[in-house]
Amino acid sequence: MADLFIPSDTMPSDTVHDPQADCAFMRLALDQAQNAWLLGEVPVGAVIVKDGKVIATGYNRPIGDNDPTAHAEIVALRQAAHLLGNYRLPGCTLYVTLEPCAMCAMALLHARFARVVFGARDPKTGAAGSVVDLFADPRLNPHCSITAGVEQAACSALLQEFFRERRQAQKAQQSAVHDACLCGIEVTELDIEPPLV
């Protein structure tokens, strides 16, 4: 993978709380989310940064990989660990378009990430404050800092448009089946494409 840099004029040496750098890296994560959408997966993308340099990327692909753990964060985490030759990733920051779920949150904690930055909240499975906050639980060790809401509007809009398109396709399919039945055409399960996710 080619190294991706954010120009030095937008990224000071300490990017921990630099809003410009956060937005730039989140836009790269949004690009990864588009890759997931193109494959029919829920559009979530992730980018891992160390020392101001992108070292790994990932996007959702549990359907295509037949792997329930293939969330964007896990895909990127595996790539970064392989690249760095270590299962621990201290000093790394994860940028992800959707709040991590419990599985991803725990993987990030075990990998010793310094920071997690996410765009949209996930009111159904979010584990960084929406449903539970594993990152703030004092019983868990170690901890990493969290920044929420970076490019939130763009991240939320991408997910909303994906699911709107998905619902419209399912309604059109249901309507076609209904119309076929009204015309006396026998419709079998083989004629109907299964819904994705």
Side-chain angles (χ1 to χ4, degrees):
M1 179 180 99
D3 291 338
L4 298 173
F5 294 94
I6 300 300
S8 59
D9 62 335
T10 64
M11 184 192 64
S13 59
D14 179 15
T15 62
V16 173
H17 297 290
D18 177 25
Q20 283 185 314
D22 285 351
C23 289
F25 288 124
M26 188 61 74
R27 285 190 293 274
L28 294 175
L30 279 161
D31 289 343
Q32 289 298 309
Q34 289 287 348
N35 291 336
W37 187 335
L38 291 172
L39 296 175
E41 304 272 5
V42 175
V44 178
V47 171
I48 296 175
V49 175
K50 184 171 177 68
D51 299 325
K53 184 171 81 171
V54 173
I55 61 167
T57 62
Y59 54 86
N60 264 8
R61 49 189 197 220
I63 298 168
D65 287 0
N66 295 312
D67 179 359
T69 69
H71 291 193
E73 301 95 311
I74 302 297
V75 171
L77 187 149
R78 287 176 178 155
Q79 185 182 33
H82 180 74
L83 177 74
L84 297 178
N86 195 342
Y87 72 104
R88 298 271 166 90
L89 301 170
C92 290
T93 298
L94 172 85
Y95 292 85
V96 62
T97 57
L98 182 65
E99 180 180 2
C101 68
M103 173 186 70
C104 294
M106 289 309 299
L108 295 165
L109 288 171
H110 284 298
R112 308 290 200 263
F113 270 75
R115 186 166 177 243
V116 174
V117 180
F118 68 87
R121 289 233 173 242
D122 185 347
K124 293 185 178 181
T125 64
S130 290
V131 177
V132 297
D133 193 348
L134 294 176
F135 294 101
D137 191 324
R139 298 169 296 176
L140 300 175
N141 194 19
H143 297 281
C144 65
S145 70
I146 300 293
T147 302
V150 174
E151 295 288 333
Q152 180 176 352
C155 294
S156 295
L158 182 67
L159 287 160
Q160 290 168 352
E161 181 59 28
F162 173 80
F163 286 111
R164 185 179 306 111
E165 186 178 284
R166 175 73 51 87
R167 285 188 300 274
Q168 288 172 345
Q170 287 175 344
K171 283 182 182 178
Q173 184 177 14
Q174 290 169 349
S175 178
V177 169
H178 180 263
D179 292 347
C181 290
L182 288 177
C183 294
I185 300 171
E186 185 177 331
V187 179
T188 67
E189 287 183 27
L190 298 176
D191 297 326
I192 303 171
E193 288 190 36
L196 295 175
V197 188

